Amino acid sequence: MSARLKLRRGVVAAEDPLTVEIDGERRPAWADETLLGEMRVGDEVVVNVAALDLDLGSGGFDVVHVNLTRGLSASGAGREHVIKLNYTSLQHPVEPVELPLRPSNHESGKGVGRGMPVLVLPLHGHLAPAAWAAAQASPGLKLGYIQTAGGALPGSLSRDVAELRERGLLCDHVTAAPAYGGKHEALGAAGALDAAADARGWDAALLGPGPGIIGSDTRLGHGGMAALDNAHAALALGLPTLLSPRLSESDPRERHRGVSHHTLTILELLLGGVGVPVPAGHADTASQLAKAAGDRHKLYEAQPDLAGYVASGLPARTMGRDIDDDALFFAAPLAAGAHVGSTLT
């Protein structure tokens, strides 16, 4: 059986941005330094070159697998005994955020916390607009982000998370398996939500994948399906559950224009009803969502502040399109965040 990992030896040629030279070619790379340690010019490394060789968009860089120069003498973590990325060469111990077993009034799994609302995100591009809009509607809101499957797994990869935390727009960042590397670790979305609503004292949660959503041009084989599992976790815990719809007016792919097929599929397959915030002023989109929601899901109209978001300086570009090119894409999470914030004022 031939190996599927496409690993190559290289040498670090630059640190910022990280560049690795392989067979005389300088290539962009990324290293998860929380796992692998620091990278210095001249270090010999082994990199996975598959993504760059495939010319992937958001994942178009090599990923360092191991630093042969200084990465083989790490002492490891402390006394943590739970493993993430288990049974892979990157398995490492973590301390899970999940709460211990509690008295009988919690045994059913219902009634967790204080009825913390959960906004399920279809992709990482909704995170910054939703967090900003929620904060505008409810200043001082303790809003946290739970990163799940569906996109990039390393919590340290997202520049959006780092900026939102620096600005105080996110109070916390939990990575739920298989994602890892956040401020706190959870073994699953349900446990992360339980801890967020209880011990961590969040007012509301954003729940969705990291950057670089995965896809296969099929109805069910894409990272957006993580929203189905995430919504079910929130619903099972009895938490008010909302879905930020994926919308677009200029995506070159017809299946994502108007209401994306990702959102339509999730609304169809959900086993329980959720709320769906809809940006005001988009009658055709609202009609399409109303048809998909039927009697099972409830729509809420909210006003997106596009101009205010642009002025904030937060990321306003998605998949090569600026907010002026695809205002509807950003209107969806802005409306969703505004709705979440307004329910807590």
Side-chain angles (χ1 to χ4, degrees):
M1 180 184 294
S2 60
R4 290 181 177 269
L5 282 179
K6 196 172 184 181
L7 303 177
R8 300 290 184 271
R9 285 179 178 265
V11 176
V12 175
E15 297 175 24
D16 188 17
L18 185 63
T19 306
V20 175
E21 184 173 317
I22 301 174
D23 295 331
E25 178 188 3
R26 293 167 67 97
R27 300 163 61 102
W30 181 78
D32 189 344
E33 295 193 356
T34 59
L35 291 184
L36 305 178
E38 64 179 327
M39 303 287 145
R40 298 180 187 173
V41 172
D43 285 356
E44 185 180 5
V45 293
V46 174
V47 296
N48 187 317
V49 300
L52 186 55
D53 284 359
L54 288 172
D55 197 26
L56 297 183
S58 58
F61 46 81
D62 293 334
V63 179
V64 178
H65 181 67
V66 63
N67 186 327
L68 298 173
T69 300
R70 66 188 72 254
L72 301 182
S73 58
S75 60
R79 293 182 294 179
E80 299 92 343
H81 67 281
V82 175
I83 291 289
K84 275 201 170 182
L85 298 180
N86 45 310
Y87 302 102
T88 75
S89 63
L90 294 176
Q91 65 181 9
H92 59 280
V94 299
E95 183 176 350
V97 74
E98 277 87 351
L99 299 172
L101 292 174
R102 290 168 289 169
S104 58
N105 61 320
H106 287 284
E107 287 179 357
S108 67
K110 299 288 185 180
V112 171
R114 305 181 307 273
M116 177 188 73
V118 178
L119 177 61
V120 176
L121 306 178
L123 69 176
H124 199 66
H126 277 213
L127 177 64
W132 179 86
Q136 303 312 299
S138 182
L141 177 73
K142 287 192 67 175
L143 178 69
Y145 169 50
I146 298 171
Q147 181 178 332
T148 70
L153 300 181
S156 59
L157 183 63
S158 173
R159 294 186 295 269
D160 291 5
V161 170
E163 184 170 2
L164 291 169
R165 289 183 62 192
E166 287 173 5
R167 293 194 185 200
L169 297 176
L170 286 180
C171 69
D172 210 348
H173 177 208
V174 176
T175 39
Y180 67 92
K183 183 179 179 182
H184 300 284
E185 303 281 5
L187 301 187
L193 288 168
D194 182 37
D198 196 312
R200 308 215 59 79
W202 296 7
D203 296 320
L206 302 176
L207 179 64
I213 193 167
I214 54 178
S216 64
D217 291 339
T218 62
R219 180 171 180 264
L220 301 179
H222 55 78
M225 289 303 296
L228 184 66
D229 295 335
N230 291 341
H232 283 154
L235 289 169
L237 292 172
L239 298 171
T241 306
L242 301 155
L243 176 67
S244 182
R246 179 174 178 176
L247 311 176
S248 175
E249 57 196 347
S250 59
D251 194 301
R253 299 161 295 182
E254 184 178 353
R255 63 186 183 275
H256 290 307
R257 285 199 294 272
V259 182
S260 169
H261 78 103
H262 288 187
T263 293
L264 296 175
T265 301
I266 299 301
L267 291 175
E268 176 190 345
L269 296 181
L270 274 167
L271 298 177
V274 299
V276 184
V278 182
H282 296 276
D284 290 344
T285 299
S287 176
Q288 191 178 2
L289 280 169
K291 182 178 179 181
D295 297 328
R296 299 176 60 237
H297 310 296
K298 186 173 182 179
L299 270 55
Y300 300 93
E301 186 177 75
Q303 187 67 49
D305 184 0
L306 289 162
Y309 182 71
V310 170
S312 75
L314 286 166
R317 186 174 177 82
T318 177
M319 292 169 280
R321 305 188 303 277
D322 291 324
I323 193 168
D324 290 337
D325 302 320
D326 199 349
L328 184 58
F329 177 90
F330 291 91
L334 287 170
H339 175 76
V340 169
S342 68
T343 66
L344 296 167
T345 54

